[in-house]
Amino acid sequence: MSVAELLRFPFTQYALVASVLMAICASLTGVPLVLKRYSFMGFGLSNVAFMGMAFALVIDMTNAMALVMPLTVAATILLMGLGNRFKKVSGDASLAMLTVGSLAVGHFVINTFSIRGGNIDRAVSETLFGGTRLVTLNARPQEVWLALLITLLVVIFFLFFYRRIFAVTFDRAFMQATGQYPIAYELLLSVITGVVIAMSMNLLGSLLTASLIIFPALSAMRISKTYKGVILGAVIIAMVCSPIGIFTALLFELPPTTTIIMVNIAAFFLLTAAGTLRRLLA
Amino acid sequence: MNKPLLEVTDLCIGYDGKSIVDDICFSVEIGAYLCIVGENGTGKSTLLKTISGLLKPIYGTVHFAVPRCEIGYLPQQMAVRHDFPASAKEIISSGALSRGKWYRPFYSKDEKERIAWACEKTGVVDFIGQSFSELSGGQQQRVLLARALVTAKNAVILDEPTAGLDPEAVKEFYGVLTKLNDDEKITIIMVTHDIEGAEKHASHIVELGGERSDEGEDFFFGTVGNYIERGRHNECG
């Protein structure tokens, strides 16, 4: 089958739309995360989402998101917003425990209590790494509509609060000293990050979600030294890399999610080289 | 007689409920130039953070006659990431957010004028489009001063703004501050370890943990003249 033929199938279209939408969301939320030095948090939180998914599978919930989303949002708020308030364990240690712990608990729960027949290993692999073939990429129409709605909300949020997201990322002490409420924006940002990660984990798997949070932001930082440049750059890079990855995967029958990650890694090295070259020429 | 811009009454400062200095009393009038000095560990930075509302007083009060959103702030250099990808303009403009409406996505015309004015006063116009991370230490401090000035209708609070700068940049920075104080009547409240600079430029001094304080107290507050006189007196005695 040729790509053009494959594109006529609804599931290919859904996969394409879902991956681009999630690329927009994850790259936007990724920029403040990376700049606040919370790069690893994307991976930790997608593992939390995986654990939520495992519980939902075991208790056979029809709508897994009803469990996964609140769980991920709560974990994000705990790590990001309120992390420094109840500092019993250091931020770095609590993130590491959450990352490793939730992955282990999720895997343990699925393997021990799963009542559903079928291939457990494959279900686990799909939740972590996304589908191995495009057909199994987990996008159904109602989920794509939800993704579209969430993307719209995320984009509107970033447009409206763009300047304040910048301010709270750059220097929260200044905001507080000048009578503003940085904690409010941090909370909003945590909620959005949690929702995006839960949604994206469901559609694309946790590994691709974590990659979409860090790679576009870091790639953009190679070529731009202004905040606006980094935000726009990250979104554009993510939006370009996802379709390239999906088409490459279609053409050569590769696993789509990890192919998208490969494209993102390639983009990172390419833009690093471009950035270095520009500095040398300047 | 001006009414005080800032009144600090019976203030006890510290971290986690542990006090460092107590019974601090002083007031700052509009147009004053106050330097807070003291050895390392005497609590001068803690005092400044309490005044700026970043730390809660253990007891006592800090009262400003104007709302906080009209007071500029320049944080300690450690608190700012110097490799952050942002242009000088993006950073300076964010000073306007304290008084802007939360639902407005863009800066208004007035705010833009205020930003241009602050850039001109601090001499950052030449490198406004450049990335913060590519500026020199002195330029970065002037960018942060410009941001504070966009916020400040009346006063700026500065935490060790000249630490780590080369002498030329320090001189330049003091020049900008003095001009703001003289020409624009901006009140300056600054923590510094540079006592010489403080004696030369300030109008009033708060010293924590020094030998100039009255008996039974661990801080000094008075005019610069008073401060220098006490110092001489102590040397003789």
Side-chain angles (χ1 to χ4, degrees):
Chain A
M1 250 188 287
S2 74
V3 173
E5 276 175 305
L6 272 165
L7 261 179
R8 250 176 267 138
F9 290 110
F11 63 80
T12 325
Q13 294 164 4
Y14 292 148
L16 204 60
V17 172
S19 69
V20 171
L21 288 178
M22 285 302 110
I24 296 172
C25 290
S27 57
L28 270 178
T29 48
V31 172
L33 274 186
V34 168
L35 285 175
K36 278 218 153 204
R37 301 198 196 277
Y38 289 151
S39 302
F40 201 67
M41 202 136 101
F43 187 55
L45 291 169
S46 30
N47 280 350
V48 172
F50 165 74
M51 179 176 74
M53 201 66 135
F55 277 111
L57 262 174
V58 164
I59 57 176
D60 210 17
M61 275 176 82
T62 39
N63 188 1
M65 278 295 105
L67 176 68
V68 177
M69 229 169 237
L71 191 74
T72 318
V73 169
T76 320
I77 291 173
L78 215 67
L79 282 174
M80 230 167 119
L82 304 168
N84 353 350
R85 310 220 151 189
F86 310 101
K87 215 178 208 165
K88 295 250 163 56
V89 189
S90 81
D92 151 68
S94 53
L95 180 55
M97 285 199 303
L98 201 77
T99 309
V100 178
S102 53
L103 189 58
V105 171
H107 189 260
F108 179 82
V109 163
I110 282 196
N111 276 283
T112 316
F113 303 107
S114 187
I115 42 165
R116 218 178 58 159
N119 194 334
I120 288 173
D121 279 344
R122 187 152 157 213
V124 170
S125 166
E126 264 176 35
T127 334
L128 284 177
F129 306 120
T132 44
R133 285 176 301 129
L134 203 62
V135 192
T136 56
L137 193 70
N138 213 356
R140 279 174 284 276
Q142 65 269 37
E143 282 170 329
V144 175
W145 283 114
L146 185 62
L148 186 66
L149 183 75
I150 286 173
T151 309
L152 275 176
L153 288 177
V154 170
V155 170
I156 289 172
F157 172 78
F158 269 81
L159 277 177
F160 258 89
F161 294 108
Y162 169 76
R163 301 172 307 164
R164 286 182 169 82
I165 294 168
F166 164 73
V168 81
T169 316
F170 177 63
D171 187 356
R172 84 183 298 281
F174 178 83
M175 275 189 112
Q176 203 178 343
T178 52
Q180 302 173 71
Y181 300 96
I183 189 84
Y185 300 104
E186 282 168 344
L187 267 175
L188 269 170
L189 213 53
S190 320
V191 171
I192 287 195
T193 307
V195 167
V196 165
I197 287 177
M199 188 76 219
S200 170
M201 201 280 316
N202 182 37
L203 289 171
L204 311 172
S206 60
L207 192 66
L208 180 53
T209 301
S211 307
L212 286 176
I213 294 233
I214 50 171
F215 278 113
L218 287 168
S219 302
M221 283 163 71
R222 300 291 115 184
I223 45 164
S224 178
K225 299 273 174 232
T226 68
Y227 193 72
K228 196 191 257 170
V230 170
I231 288 247
L232 285 177
V235 176
I236 293 169
I237 291 164
M239 280 177 78
V240 170
C241 285
S242 286
I244 292 182
I246 288 205
F247 283 126
T248 315
L250 278 175
L251 275 174
F252 302 102
E253 291 183 24
L254 303 166
T257 54
T258 34
T259 307
I260 297 177
I261 300 176
M262 293 306 122
V263 175
N264 271 289
I265 294 174
F268 174 78
F269 284 114
L270 217 68
L271 292 171
T272 306
T276 317
L277 203 68
R278 203 174 60 175
R279 225 170 312 129
L280 287 176
L281 292 175
Chain B
M1 184 79 183
N2 292 327
K3 81 174 169 91
L5 175 79
L6 165 67
E7 265 183 297
V8 172
T9 323
D10 295 331
L11 183 69
C12 174
I13 55 166
Y15 281 101
D16 303 324
K18 274 177 243 133
S19 91
I20 300 175
V21 190
D22 52 15
D23 296 327
I24 304 170
C25 284
F26 66 90
S27 61
V28 180
E29 269 151 37
I30 293 171
Y33 190 145
L34 175 84
C35 278
I36 301 171
V37 298
E39 299 285 312
N40 283 338
T42 47
K44 54 187 195 301
S45 234
T46 312
L47 174 60
L48 197 84
K49 284 200 179 103
T50 313
I51 292 173
S52 5
L54 298 177
L55 288 173
K56 284 205 171 67
I58 294 180
Y59 56 79
T61 54
V62 172
H63 179 75
F64 274 103
V66 297
R68 278 205 188 281
C69 64
E70 293 179 6
I71 297 166
Y73 177 70
L74 196 153
Q76 214 168 15
Q77 291 189 38
M78 290 253 290
V80 172
R81 278 191 52 193
H82 296 275
D83 59 345
F84 198 92
S87 69
K89 175 115 195 222
E90 287 175 314
I91 291 172
I92 295 167
S93 305
S94 72
L97 291 172
S98 70
R99 276 178 280 135
K101 294 271 181 287
W102 67 270
Y103 51 81
R104 291 191 54 148
F106 303 108
Y107 295 108
S108 69
K109 199 169 152 256
D110 286 356
E111 286 166 343
K112 280 180 185 153
E113 275 167 16
R114 179 86 196 168
I115 291 163
W117 172 83
C119 290
E120 195 215 302
K121 289 290 163 196
T122 48
V124 301
V125 179
D126 293 340
F127 45 84
I128 186 127
Q130 277 187 49
S131 172
F132 187 65
S133 57
E134 287 161 353
L135 302 178
S136 72
Q139 290 172 325
Q140 288 189 334
Q141 286 305 89
R142 266 150 61 202
V143 165
L144 295 178
L145 178 63
R147 177 183 64 165
L149 211 54
V150 171
T151 313
K153 271 193 173 158
N154 306 286
V156 281
I157 300 177
L158 308 96
D159 199 345
E160 300 252 18
T162 58
L165 299 187
D166 60 77
E168 198 52 43
V170 171
K171 215 177 124 194
E172 213 170 6
F173 196 86
Y174 274 125
V176 173
L177 279 185
T178 305
K179 257 187 95 96
L180 285 173
N181 186 242
D182 289 347
D183 302 350
E184 310 292 334
K185 300 285 167 263
I186 302 257
T187 312
I188 289 168
I189 300 169
M190 171 164 89
V191 159
T192 181
H193 59 273
D194 172 18
I195 293 184
E196 237 174 84
E199 285 183 354
K200 210 160 132 196
H201 300 99
S203 66
H204 293 74
I205 300 248
V206 165
E207 187 184 48
L208 297 178
E211 287 165 357
R212 291 171 173 85
S213 38
D214 289 325
E215 214 155 300
E217 285 185 4
D218 44 9
F219 83 101
F220 165 89
F221 168 62
T223 60
V224 166
N226 215 328
Y227 178 78
I228 294 171
E229 203 177 295
R230 285 249 184 146
R232 282 208 202 99
H233 179 79
N234 281 352
E235 267 167 38
C236 299

